[in-house]
């Protein structure tokens, strides 16, 4: 596993996009927010309950890699001494690999009927067990949710096929966090399937690129991902502890009904043997952030008048200092005369190379250099690990040598440090191109600032500049996605804000990620809508009413032939006769919405597709209809469907074959199909299902081909929790959504799952302080990239009859008071529109429309306290939610009440 050695200490254009790198099936590389230094890792572990244990030794460090670190000028200090005239410390964060273990143990009960599965991990992190079960009578590949009495407390259901349970310590004496799952022989379960997720980094961990599979019966198919008596896995080098203990089998007859994922058939009864007990330890590698620093100090020798420069660092290993001096501001390297430090050799006639001296048990290394008064500056770079250079963003470090005034390392506030490999020909070529992009972005940002000052350019020109910034940002990210770890979103967001503050009335320029910027989406169905068989015609009757309420976009259900009646298990993509109605009825309802001025989104399920035929092994991976793909269209690492494609570029959906979008024939067929839907049906854009399953770059390809009016993707995964309680900081969660949007080139927005989750905790627990992040901005995607955030509080999965993540009861209108007054593109659930909330929703939609609130509106948070959240949007609308008190400030403008309901109130600027 390797990453590029190019890193930046400050964001290039300050836009938070995180490097994505696959390990096994998927693995994100991202700075650990709980950084641990190499010297304090073990002591830190013992201090934090969430990751404390006492193993001997628990971890093994392997070769370090460098990642982002930030210049922090607040750390600069001057030592108060008569002879030390300068001291500066510069922080560096490195990434090191730490090896630990995953422990899987099956304990058999005394009565041989009840048992317990225990899964633990001794690596630091916020570990989540993502798991499901297979039944004895299953031959297909699906995960199922376990019986309710089997689910541990604190678990969260994931759609209808999995459970997520946080690993935690049962008591203070536990060596590491774990999950305990009670099993009963009567449950008729043949295996537990799981993967591990680290909430701190967003990384997922599998076994040999596949799901972990713990057999509970002996006659389960012997597969490479089985953990236990029949696994036969290679756990790597070294002693990994006890692998299997007491594997005793007990025969027990069961009925076995063969069932694949599409067709059911009867089969004879078979004998299954129950696995009585075993214990296994598997190696696991995780990346952790380690803090280091470089310190430079200068002392004036009172006897000789020379400058004595002392440089030290706690970076481990052999460190070589390449150094020289200069006589003027041209900073031309020159080799100073002797004396020189030990282990110094000449380097290219104009510089020296000195190996830093180890500080022994104290760790790190240092060097002292004497420089004459004839030199005005000290120049240096560092060489680490034999082939990695540490320099000042492509420039040399420069320390001005002067006795007058305070000293700084030259331009350190404006420059960033870069580590670069010696083999840089291709990297330097890329750098030239990417620097051009960066300069263009900076010029455009400067252009926006000048627009604000002069107020001479048209709204259209301002909007063009904004769109160009977003295009260049996406283009730059596509280049850096394999080499640059993390950026901050603030520049692009602030560019949005700067433009909108000056010109809140956007011109009607349409982009697929935003529409016009004023869109309001209606989700036009729920989980039960298919049951009438004529949903299209029922919806058609409500078109005029929805238009009068102010909706500009409607999202229709999946239109294709599907194994599941709801449409999310598509089969024949060109067959549009579904449980919602016929193809002609679909065309009719689309035409009706167009007549009343509402755009229509089709629900496109691109991640997976159900097959219509079995291969020679009896696996359902041969497709039918016009797109009669074979198993080359299925990803190779989908453990259930024996695909012959490439590895997946995202998460696997376990209920159907995952489509390999890296195949040219697959992408061409999908683009042709989407274009056919645009032309034949009249869809204006797309709602994209389960986009976690494939790279956002493929989405950009599809959007470029179909040129939608508006599009939005569903990127839904779990937020960060600690012992069942939601964390305040959800940056890692919204980071993953922003990463996907960025990979898609901004061509689609994404549902702001982060904001929904935070609203849940804030309203349900009366913790409204959660609605402001550490920078005083909204804590969801709308706080980082509002123009691409599609906000919502409920949909067909979270609410309706599924209720997987239902919004707090009786708090729905507080949720809408937030989403309908804030930036982003709000989506309103059909069930709420035609309910007792209809009048209130209509009032909030009217306020949003008449005040021109749009996807890039500005938000100023005035209160985020225990019992109240309050904000002013575009300096036109004030709002508060929660039982606490708030009145908008009246010193600079007057306000009038516009609407209020239970624990919420909206004001408008008085004319």
């Amino acid at each position: 596993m390797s990453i590029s050695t190019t890193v930046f200490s400050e964001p290039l254009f300050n836009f938070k996009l995180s490097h994505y790198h696959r390990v096994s099936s998927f693995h994100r590389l991202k700075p650990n927010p709980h950084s641990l230094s190499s010297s304090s890792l073990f002591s830190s572990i013992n201090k934090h309950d969430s990751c404390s244990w006492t193993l001997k030794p628990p971890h093994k460090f392997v070769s370090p890699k460098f990642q982002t670190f930030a210049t922090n000028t607040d750390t600069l200090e001057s030592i108060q001494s008569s002879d030390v005239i300068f001291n500066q410390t510069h922080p560096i964060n490195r990434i090191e690999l730490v090896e630990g273990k995953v422990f899987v143990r099956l304990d058999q009960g005394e009565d041989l009927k009840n048992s317990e599965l225990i899964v633990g991990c001794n690596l630091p992190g916020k570990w989540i067990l993502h798991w499901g079960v297979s039944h004895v009578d299953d031959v297909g590949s699906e995960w199922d949710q376990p019986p309710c009495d089997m689910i541990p407390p604190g678990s969260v259901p994931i759609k209808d096929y999995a459970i997520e349970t946080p690993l935690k310590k049962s008591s203070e004496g536990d060596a590491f966090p774990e999950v305990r799952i009670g099993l009963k022989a009567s449950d008729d379960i043949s295996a537990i399937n799981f993967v591990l997720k680290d909430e701190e980094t967003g990384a997922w961990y599998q076994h040999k690129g596949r799901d972990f599979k713990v057999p509970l019966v002996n006659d389960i198919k012997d597969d490479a991902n089985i953990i236990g008596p029949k696994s036969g896995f290679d756990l790597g080098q070294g002693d990994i502890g006890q692998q299997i203990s007491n594997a005793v089998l007990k025969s027990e007859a069961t009925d076995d009904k063969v069932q694949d994922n599409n067709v059911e058939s009867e089969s004879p009864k078979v004998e299954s043997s129950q696995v009585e007990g075993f214990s296994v330890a598997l190696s696991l590698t995780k990346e952790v952030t380690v803090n280091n620093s470089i310190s430079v100090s200068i002392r004036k020798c009172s006897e000789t008048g020379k400058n004595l420069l002392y440089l030290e660092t706690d970076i481990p290993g052999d460190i070589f200092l390449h150094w020289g001096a200069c006589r003027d501001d041209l900073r031309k390297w020159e080799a100073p005369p002797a004396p020189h430090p030990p282990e110094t050799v000449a380097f290219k006639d104009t510089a020296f190379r000195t190996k830093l001296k180890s500080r022994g048990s104290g760790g790190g290394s240092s060097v002292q250099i004497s420089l004459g008064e004839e030199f005005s500056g000290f120049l240096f770079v560092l060489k680490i690990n034999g082939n990695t250079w540490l320099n000042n963003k492509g420039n040399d470090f420069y320390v001005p040598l002067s006795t007058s005034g305070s000293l700084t390392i030259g331009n350190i506030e404006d420059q960033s440090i870069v580590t670069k490999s010696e083999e840089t020909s291709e990297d330097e070529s890329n750098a030239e191109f990417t620097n051009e992009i960066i300069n263009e972005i900076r010029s455009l940002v400067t252009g926006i600032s000048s627009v604000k000052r002069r107020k001479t350019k048209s709204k259209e020109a301002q909007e063009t500049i904004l769109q160009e910034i977003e295009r260049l940002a996406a283009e730059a990210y596509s280049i850096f996605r394999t080499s640059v770890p993390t950026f901050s979103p603030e520049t692009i967001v602030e560019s949005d804000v700067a433009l909108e503050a000056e010109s809140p009335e956007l011109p009607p320029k349409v982009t697929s990620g935003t529409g016009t910027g004023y869109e309001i989406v209606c989700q036009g169905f729920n989980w039960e809508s298919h049951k009438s068989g004529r949903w299209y015609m029922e919806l058609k009757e409500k078109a005029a009413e929805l238009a009068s309420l102010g909706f500009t976009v409607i999202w229709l259900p999946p239109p294709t032939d599907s194994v599941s009646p709801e449409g999310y298990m598509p089969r024949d993509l060109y067959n549009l006769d579904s449980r919602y109605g016929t193809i002609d009825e679909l065309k009719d309802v689309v035409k009706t919405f167009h007549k009343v001025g509402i755009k229509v989104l089709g629900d496109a399920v691109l991640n997976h597709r159900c097959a219509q035929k079995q291969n020679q092994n009896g696996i359902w991976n041969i497709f039918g209809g016009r797109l009669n793909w074979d198993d080359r269209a299925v990803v190779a690492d989908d453990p259930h469907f024996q695909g012959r494609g490439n590895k997946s570029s995202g998460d696997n959906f376990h209920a159907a074959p995952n489509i390999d979008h890296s195949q040219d024939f697959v992408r061409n067929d999908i683009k042709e199909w989407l274009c056919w839907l645009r032309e034949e049906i009249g869809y204006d854009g797309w709602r994209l299902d389960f986009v976690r399953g494939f790279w956002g770059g493929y989405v950009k390809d599809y959007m470029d081909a179909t040129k939608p009016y508006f599009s939005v993707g569903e990127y839904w995964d779990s937020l960060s929790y600690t012992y069942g309680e939601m964390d305040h900081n959800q940056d890692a969660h919204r980071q993953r959504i922003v990463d996907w949007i960025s990979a898609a080139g901004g061509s689609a927005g994404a549902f702001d799952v982060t904001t929904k989750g935070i609203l849940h905790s804030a309203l349900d627990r009366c913790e409204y302080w959660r609605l402001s992040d550490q920078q005083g901005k909204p804590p969801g995607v709308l706080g980082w990239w509002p123009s691409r955030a599609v906000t919502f509080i409920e949909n067909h999965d979270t609410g309706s009859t599924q209720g997987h993540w239902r919004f707090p009861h009786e708090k729905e209108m507080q949720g809408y008071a937030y989403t309908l007054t804030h930036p982003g593109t709000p989506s309103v659930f059909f069930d709420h529109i035609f309910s007792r909330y209809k009048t209130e929703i209509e009032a909030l939609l009217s306020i949003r429309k008449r005040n021109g609130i749009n996807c890039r509106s500005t938000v100023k948070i005035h209160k985020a306290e225990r019992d109240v959240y309050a904000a002013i949007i575009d300096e036109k609308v004030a709002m508060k939610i929660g039982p606490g008190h708030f009145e908008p400030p009246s010193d600079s403008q007057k306000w009038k009440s516009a609407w209020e309901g239970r624990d919420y109130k909206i004001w408008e600027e008085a004319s």
Side-chain angles (χ1 to χ4, degrees):
M1 179 171 64
S2 64
I3 64 172
S4 166
T5 56
T6 304
V7 300
F8 294 83
S9 70
E10 289 183 357
L12 292 180
F13 40 91
N14 224 21
F15 185 69
K16 187 151 189 170
L17 309 171
S18 144
H19 171 62
Y20 191 97
H21 179 73
R22 292 178 50 78
V23 175
S24 295
S25 131
F26 42 92
H27 185 177
R28 287 172 38 83
L29 293 183
K30 183 173 170 58
N32 188 333
H34 305 292
S35 302
L36 302 173
S37 70
S38 59
S39 61
S40 63
L41 176 62
F42 296 100
S43 61
S44 297
I45 288 172
N46 291 328
K47 291 177 183 177
H48 298 289
D49 291 340
S50 61
C51 55
S52 62
W53 53 80
T54 54
L55 298 176
K56 302 180 181 180
H59 313 305
K60 173 186 175 184
F61 284 101
V62 274
S63 58
K65 296 174 292 181
F66 288 87
Q67 194 157 315
T68 298
F69 50 89
T71 299
N72 182 1
T73 56
D74 293 337
T75 65
L76 306 187
E77 299 177 358
S78 295
I79 298 178
Q80 299 302 315
S81 172
S82 59
D83 58 350
V84 176
I85 59 176
F86 168 73
N87 182 68
Q88 175 177 340
T89 299
H90 189 88
I92 298 174
N93 293 341
R94 299 181 301 108
I95 297 298
E96 285 189 342
L97 296 181
V98 183
E99 291 184 358
K101 295 288 188 290
V102 175
F103 301 95
V104 181
R105 187 171 80 246
L106 182 65
D107 288 343
Q108 185 69 56
E110 294 182 0
D111 56 4
L112 300 182
K113 292 183 178 179
N114 299 319
S115 55
E116 185 177 49
L117 176 67
I118 304 169
V119 180
C121 181
N122 69 353
L123 280 173
K126 295 180 180 179
W127 294 102
I128 300 290
L129 189 75
H130 182 93
W131 63 285
V133 303
S134 298
H135 291 281
V136 171
D137 58 359
D138 285 345
V139 174
S141 60
E142 296 186 13
W143 282 27
D144 293 314
Q145 284 190 352
C148 292
D149 60 356
M150 187 176 167
I151 301 175
S155 300
V156 177
I158 303 300
K159 294 199 173 179
D160 57 355
Y161 64 87
I163 295 292
E164 288 196 345
T165 306
L167 275 66
K168 52 188 176 182
K169 293 186 177 182
S170 302
S171 63
E172 293 184 1
D174 288 349
F176 46 81
E178 61 187 19
V179 168
R180 293 176 175 263
I181 300 172
L183 308 170
K184 296 180 180 179
S186 59
D187 286 338
D188 202 29
I189 294 172
S190 64
I192 303 291
N193 309 291
F194 71 89
V195 294
L196 278 172
K197 178 181 179 182
D198 184 1
E199 283 290 314
E200 287 184 348
T201 63
W204 294 75
Y205 296 84
Q206 295 180 297
H207 177 47
K208 296 185 176 181
R210 304 175 67 176
D211 305 332
F212 293 87
K213 193 179 192 74
V214 180
L216 303 181
V217 295
N218 186 41
D219 57 359
I220 195 169
K221 180 183 177 182
D222 195 1
D223 204 346
N225 61 332
I226 288 179
I227 306 301
K230 298 182 69 175
S231 60
F233 46 79
D234 177 13
L235 295 177
Q237 299 177 350
D239 179 17
I240 53 92
Q242 182 182 15
Q243 296 185 21
I244 301 171
S245 65
N246 190 27
V248 181
L249 305 180
K250 179 181 179 182
S251 297
E252 183 174 278
T254 61
D255 293 334
D256 188 16
K257 183 178 67 177
V258 179
Q259 177 181 337
D260 57 53
N261 56 323
N262 290 332
V263 179
E264 296 184 0
S265 62
E266 295 295 330
S267 67
K269 291 184 178 181
V270 298
E271 295 293 322
S272 66
S273 301
Q274 183 178 350
V275 175
E276 187 166 303
F278 58 83
S279 179
V280 174
L282 298 92
S283 294
L284 182 68
T285 301
K286 177 185 175 179
E287 294 181 328
V288 298
T289 302
V290 180
N291 294 333
N292 294 110
S293 63
I294 298 175
S295 295
V296 178
S297 61
I298 300 174
R299 181 168 60 88
K300 196 74 171 178
C301 180
S302 58
E303 297 179 359
T304 64
K306 288 187 174 182
N307 293 304
L308 301 180
L309 184 142
Y310 182 77
L311 183 148
E312 64 178 347
T313 179
D314 59 354
I315 298 173
D318 292 336
I319 311 295
F320 289 89
L321 179 73
H322 287 245
W323 61 280
C326 61
R327 297 178 182 271
D328 51 40
D329 290 339
L330 295 177
R331 301 182 184 178
K332 183 178 178 180
W333 281 63
E334 182 178 331
H340 301 137
E343 297 192 60
T344 296
V345 296
F347 185 78
K348 296 184 178 179
D349 298 329
T350 59
F352 292 110
R353 180 174 66 191
T354 302
K355 182 179 179 181
L356 271 61
K357 183 179 179 181
S358 173
R359 293 187 299 191
S361 59
S365 52
S366 62
V367 68
Q368 181 169 301
I369 297 172
S370 174
L371 296 169
E373 291 183 292
E374 67 271 24
F375 296 109
S376 64
F378 175 72
L379 302 160
F380 73 94
V381 295
L382 292 175
K383 190 176 184 182
I384 302 170
N385 299 324
N387 63 354
T388 300
W389 292 92
L390 185 64
N391 59 46
N392 195 13
K393 198 179 179 182
N395 299 317
D396 309 320
F397 284 115
Y398 172 69
V399 182
L401 305 174
S402 172
T403 57
S404 60
S406 60
L407 302 182
T408 61
I409 290 184
N411 296 329
I412 196 67
E413 295 84 1
D414 302 319
Q415 299 290 335
S416 302
I417 297 178
V418 177
T419 62
K420 183 165 60 174
S421 171
E422 289 182 295
E423 299 175 1
T424 58
S425 57
E426 183 177 351
D427 293 341
E428 289 173 352
S429 176
N430 288 336
E432 292 178 5
F433 175 55
T434 52
N435 283 337
E436 292 178 9
I437 295 177
I438 295 163
N439 290 333
E440 286 185 62
I441 293 173
R442 287 172 175 161
S443 298
L444 289 167
V445 173
T446 302
I448 287 182
S449 300
S450 63
V451 167
K452 266 190 91 175
R453 290 192 298 269
R454 296 195 309 269
K455 300 183 180 181
T456 56
K457 290 191 177 180
S458 66
K459 297 175 184 176
E460 289 78 8
Q462 297 176 33
E463 176 69 8
T464 299
I465 291 174
L466 175 61
Q467 297 297 336
E468 186 66 11
I469 287 175
E470 292 183 337
R471 182 191 69 77
L472 289 167
E475 185 176 350
Y477 176 66
S478 69
I479 296 168
F480 282 107
R481 67 181 296 272
T482 58
S483 60
V484 178
T486 304
F487 300 96
S488 160
E490 294 178 357
T491 296
I492 286 186
V493 173
E494 290 173 359
S495 298
D496 282 355
V497 170
L499 181 59
E500 287 309 315
E502 193 62 38
S503 178
E505 298 295 330
L506 290 175
K509 184 172 182 176
V510 175
T511 63
S512 60
T514 64
T516 62
Y518 294 93
E519 309 304 338
I520 303 173
V521 179
C522 164
Q523 180 179 358
F525 63 99
N526 61 33
W527 194 246
E528 305 295 320
S529 297
H530 65 89
K531 290 187 174 180
S532 71
R534 57 182 305 274
W535 182 250
Y536 293 146
M537 294 299 94
E538 294 178 26
L539 201 56
K540 174 183 175 181
E541 297 171 1
K542 300 184 181 296
E545 184 176 5
L546 290 171
S548 68
L549 290 173
F551 290 102
T552 63
V553 175
I554 187 165
W555 156 24
L556 297 186
T560 63
D561 165 53
S562 171
V563 171
S564 64
E566 298 83 12
Y568 288 101
M569 299 283 282
R571 185 165 44 192
D572 183 353
L573 300 186
Y574 279 92
N575 180 357
L576 301 189
D577 291 332
S578 71
R579 293 290 293 273
Y580 298 101
T582 66
I583 183 173
D584 291 332
E585 290 171 338
L586 175 58
K587 292 179 182 179
D588 190 17
V589 71
V590 170
K591 186 179 297 183
T592 300
F593 276 108
H594 285 168
K595 287 181 179 178
V596 297
I598 293 179
K599 303 293 184 181
V600 181
L601 304 184
D603 201 327
V605 184
L606 305 181
N607 174 75
H608 51 272
R609 182 184 172 196
C610 291
Q612 291 176 273
K613 297 179 183 179
Q614 294 170 295
N615 68 2
Q616 65 273 17
N617 298 323
I619 302 299
W620 292 83
N621 59 15
I622 307 299
F623 303 91
R626 183 166 162 182
L627 301 182
N628 54 347
W629 301 332
D630 60 16
D631 53 5
R632 293 173 301 162
V634 181
V635 297
D637 52 348
D638 186 332
H640 311 299
F641 294 99
Q642 296 183 4
R644 291 194 296 125
N646 297 312
K647 285 189 175 182
S648 174
S649 58
D651 297 2
N652 277 334
F653 179 79
H654 298 286
N658 289 256
I659 300 304
D660 180 11
H661 293 265
S662 70
Q663 302 280 9
D664 288 341
F665 75 89
V666 168
R667 291 201 310 279
N668 291 336
D669 283 348
I670 289 177
K671 286 186 282 189
E672 183 179 351
W673 174 65
L674 291 172
C675 289
W676 176 78
L677 288 176
R678 286 273 274 149
E679 296 170 5
E680 185 71 16
I681 305 303
Y683 284 129
D684 301 289
W686 316 110
R687 182 267 183 183
L688 303 170
D689 183 65
F690 199 77
V691 296
R692 271 176 49 198
F694 54 103
W695 178 46
Y698 299 133
V699 171
K700 184 179 188 304
D701 191 19
Y702 301 144
M703 298 304 101
D704 289 346
T706 58
K707 296 178 172 55
Y709 173 88
F710 180 77
S711 55
V712 56
E714 178 210 28
Y715 194 102
W716 179 12
D717 69 354
S718 297
L719 280 78
S720 299
Y721 293 84
T722 299
Y723 300 123
E725 182 174 339
M726 182 180 291
D727 296 342
H728 180 206
N729 187 332
Q730 294 294 335
D731 286 356
H733 186 268
R734 58 175 167 174
Q735 178 72 72
R736 295 191 290 273
I737 299 175
V738 165
D739 287 347
W740 178 83
I741 300 171
S742 304
S747 62
F751 287 109
D752 194 347
V753 181
T754 314
T755 290
K756 173 178 166 64
I758 292 170
L759 281 170
H760 272 245
S761 285
L763 275 58
D764 193 40
R765 301 166 61 93
C766 197
E767 295 175 343
Y768 292 84
W769 48 265
R770 292 181 177 273
L771 294 172
S772 176
D773 68 11
Q774 294 177 342
Q775 286 72 45
K777 296 181 179 180
V781 177
L782 70 87
W784 277 1
W785 204 345
S787 67
R788 299 303 190 272
V790 177
T791 54
F792 72 108
I793 69 166
E794 209 78 287
N795 62 28
H796 62 291
D797 283 323
T798 65
S800 190
T801 55
Q802 288 205 95
H804 288 324
W805 196 23
R806 200 178 300 281
F807 203 77
H809 184 56
E810 300 294 336
K811 305 290 179 65
E812 290 88 353
M813 284 314 304
Q814 285 191 63
Y816 282 124
Y818 183 92
T819 62
L820 293 177
T821 60
H822 278 56
T825 299
S827 177
V828 184
F829 187 38
F830 186 87
D831 290 8
H832 291 161
I833 299 169
F834 296 98
S835 71
R836 59 191 176 92
Y837 298 134
K838 180 179 179 181
T839 300
E840 293 178 88
I841 291 174
E842 182 178 11
L844 294 177
L845 291 171
S846 178
I847 292 170
R848 183 180 184 90
K849 185 174 181 180
R850 67 173 172 259
N851 286 282
I853 298 175
N854 57 74
C855 69
R856 298 184 181 91
S857 289
T858 61
V859 177
K860 183 178 181 181
I861 297 175
H862 281 253
K863 273 191 175 184
E865 301 173 356
R866 182 188 63 81
D867 61 351
V868 64
Y869 167 85
I872 294 179
I873 299 88
D874 286 343
E875 299 182 355
K876 292 182 177 181
V877 173
M879 59 81 66
K880 78 99 177 176
I881 56 175
H885 176 74
F886 172 76
E887 291 289 334
S890 57
D891 50 349
S892 59
Q893 60 188 131
K894 295 183 179 179
W895 300 91
K896 62 180 180 180
S897 176
W899 188 264
E900 64 181 298
R902 181 178 176 181
D903 289 336
Y904 75 91
K905 188 172 183 178
I906 315 295
W907 295 262
E908 292 176 298
E909 186 181 24
S911 55

